[in-house]
């Protein structure tokens, strides 16, 4: 399979949101089990200029964002969440996703924060995430990169470790039992 990575453009907005919704389906399922609705709820908040897309077979196979201390890859669109999740779940979504999407990063400006790594269902276990990591790191201006992954996401941990990311910190997750994981593992990669 031939995988090409490029900077995202505005026309990719919904497909990026759909790939994120599919990739984080378990996380979003508390708010909404309909992947299409989740994509519609989050698409307007995406900072498209931070995203890279991997294309295969003429379709977006995976996405990844690189943000930094000057701004994150997504913001919460309160109206869109309420519209697509309903009033109550929309408000809950605002609270939960604001903490996840908009938490300020305290890293140096030379550090890229990798987030929203997601691969579409039909493209998993085919090297898409590895190609996305390699190409986005090559194309970006940062000296080093940080990401976090949950302790239960063993496939992602293997991918990041194999690529050269090294764990530097673990944090216990608040309400981890309800979220389905216990810790966040923080990993770092130094660009040569």
């Amino acid at each position: 399979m031939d995988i090409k990575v490029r900077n995202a453009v505005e026309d990719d907005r919904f497909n990026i949101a759909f790939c994120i919704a599919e990739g984080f389906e378990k996380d979003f399922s508390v708010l909404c089990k309909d992947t299409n609705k989740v994509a519609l709820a989050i698409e307007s908040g995406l900072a498209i200029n931070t995203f890279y897309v991997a294309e295969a077979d003429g379709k977006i196979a995976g996405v990844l964002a690189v943000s930094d201390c000057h701004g994150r890859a997504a913001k919460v669109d309160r109206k869109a969440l309420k519209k697509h999740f309903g009033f109550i779940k929309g408000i809950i979504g605002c609270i939960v996703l604001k903490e996840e999407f908009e938490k300020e990063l305290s890293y140096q400006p030379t550090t890229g924060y990798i987030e929203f790594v997601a691969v579409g269902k039909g493209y998993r276990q085919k090297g898409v995430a590895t190609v996305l990591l390699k190409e986005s790191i090559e194309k970006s201006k940062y000296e080093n990169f940080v990401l976090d992954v949950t302790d239960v996401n063993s496939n992602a941990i293997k991918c990041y470790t194999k690529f050269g990311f090294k764990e530097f910190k673990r944090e216990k997750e608040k309400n981890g039992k309800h979220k389905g994981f216990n810790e966040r593992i923080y990993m770092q990669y130094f660009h040569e």
Side-chain angles (χ1 to χ4, degrees):
M1 173 171 48
D2 188 31
I3 303 166
K4 299 236 187 304
V5 175
R6 62 173 173 78
N7 291 73
V9 295
E10 188 58 40
D11 287 347
D12 297 325
R13 183 175 290 280
F14 178 77
N15 291 322
I16 291 169
F18 190 86
C19 194
I20 292 168
E22 207 173 55
F24 295 91
E25 186 174 34
K26 185 177 176 224
D27 302 300
F28 284 116
S29 69
V30 174
L31 297 169
C32 181
K33 293 184 185 343
D34 182 332
T35 305
N36 205 56
K37 278 187 179 179
V38 171
L40 290 167
I42 65 171
E43 74 172 318
S44 60
L46 300 177
I48 296 300
N49 64 319
T50 64
F51 280 89
Y52 293 91
V53 297
E55 290 182 317
D57 309 323
K59 296 178 183 168
I60 291 180
V63 301
L64 172 155
V66 183
S67 58
D68 59 29
C69 62
H70 299 296
R72 299 287 301 273
K75 290 195 180 318
V76 171
D77 181 337
R78 188 178 288 267
K79 280 185 185 174
L81 289 177
K82 285 186 206 173
K83 177 181 177 182
H84 297 288
F85 295 163
F87 184 77
I88 301 294
K89 286 191 177 179
I91 289 173
I92 294 167
C94 287
I95 294 165
V96 173
L97 296 177
K98 188 167 183 71
E99 180 183 331
E100 190 67 32
F101 287 5
E102 298 180 19
K103 184 178 179 185
E104 211 169 292
L105 300 173
S106 60
Y107 303 114
Q108 296 295 314
T110 55
T111 300
Y113 182 71
I114 295 176
E115 55 185 328
F116 294 111
V117 180
V119 176
K121 284 184 179 175
Y123 298 98
R124 294 181 185 157
Q125 302 295 314
K126 295 181 180 177
V128 173
T130 302
V131 172
L132 258 172
L133 281 169
K134 180 182 182 298
E135 295 292 322
S136 61
I137 285 172
E138 290 297 319
K139 292 174 189 252
S140 68
K141 62 188 183 294
Y142 301 102
E143 292 174 13
N144 64 310
F145 297 83
V146 173
L147 58 79
D148 67 84
V149 60
T150 62
D151 60 345
V152 296
N153 195 344
S154 56
N155 286 338
I157 293 167
K158 279 184 217 163
C159 174
Y160 300 142
T161 302
K162 187 176 176 183
F163 190 83
F165 279 84
K166 304 236 184 295
E167 180 181 333
F168 70 92
K169 176 172 83 171
R170 283 183 184 237
E171 282 184 358
K172 268 219 166 309
E173 186 67 17
K174 286 189 305 187
N175 304 313
K177 194 173 190 177
H178 298 299
K179 293 178 180 178
F181 64 96
N182 298 312
E183 295 177 310
R184 284 187 192 269
I185 300 170
Y186 291 84
M187 303 179 87
Q188 188 166 31
Y189 176 84
F190 290 93
H191 187 49
E192 298 170 7

